Amino acid sequence: ELVTSIFGAFPMDSTGEILIDGHKCKMTSPQQAVKYGLGLVTEDRKRFGLILGMNVKENITLTILQQLAKFYVVDQKKENVLTDEYITKFEIKTPSRYALAKNLSGGTQQKVVISKWLATKPKVLIMDEPTRGIDVGAKAEIYKLINTLAENGMAIVMISSDLSEVIKMSDRVIVMHEGELKGEFKQDECTPEKVMSCALGVN
């Protein structure tokens, strides 16, 4: 709920500040959030991340159609080039760019969702449960992709209920309980006991 509100999809319950590159940003819609440089890989990819009846190409370019269109007509050549670039770069296992999203494996679907948001060139990519419902091999590929994006200067905000994933992947861990901040740890001081204590509201 917090990140969906930050992304402008839910109304805020209280006042606060969102800063990107030190500048205050007020998110009133997802479209505005994208303009500020945010991307959101949602928790439920099948309901909110993909249009299952559309193909890989249509899903990847969905967020940037305006950039690919001239006089409201999408440049198919540019769309194909961009799609193939992401298929190759992220090793998206698909028979072709025209394969329907609903026929792909969970890990491949997740790569398509991530590609869709990376196409917008975000400054901050929010990833809500990025490895839920995918196999071990696909998880390793997603972890590698997240680390590569971070090494290249992109800020990644990851939400996960997998405690080992949180500790393994994060430079900084923030723990919430009942909508309130209960703890903040650097990776070298983060332990399962500390995180669970905060998550249960003990501290």
Side-chain angles (χ1 to χ4, degrees), residues 31-33 38 44 93 95 98 108 112 123-124 141 151 157 163-164 173-175 179 182 188 198 200:
Q31 291 85 355
Q32 191 172 36
L38 292 186
D44 190 336
K93 297 179 179 69
Y98 301 108
T108 302
V112 172
K123 297 177 181 178
V124 181
E141 292 181 357
E151 288 168 4
V157 178
L163 190 50
S164 62
V173 177
I174 294 174
V175 189
K182 289 295 182 180
D188 58 1
C198 293
L200 295 172

Side-chain angles (χ1 to χ4, degrees), residues 83-136:
T83 302
D84 291 345
E85 178 185 326
Y86 281 105
I87 289 174
T88 301
K89 188 175 182 180
F90 300 137
E91 299 178 0
I92 297 174
K93 297 179 179 69
T94 176
S96 77
R97 66 174 85 102
Y98 301 108
L100 297 182
K102 65 181 179 182
N103 295 330
L104 305 175
S105 68
T108 302
Q109 287 180 343
Q110 191 70 328
K111 286 185 178 182
V112 172
V113 175
I114 294 170
S115 297
K116 177 183 76 172
W117 287 110
L118 292 180
T120 68
K121 309 296 183 187
K123 297 177 181 178
V124 181
L125 183 62
I126 303 170
M127 308 184 80
D128 194 354
E129 301 286 0
T131 62
R132 175 173 287 176
I134 62 178
D135 62 37
V136 175

Side-chain angles (χ1 to χ4, degrees), residues 175-187:
V175 189
M176 297 188 70
H177 173 77
E178 297 295 334
E180 293 185 3
L181 179 65
K182 289 295 182 180
E184 182 175 335
F185 309 99
K186 293 181 180 178
Q187 187 183 51

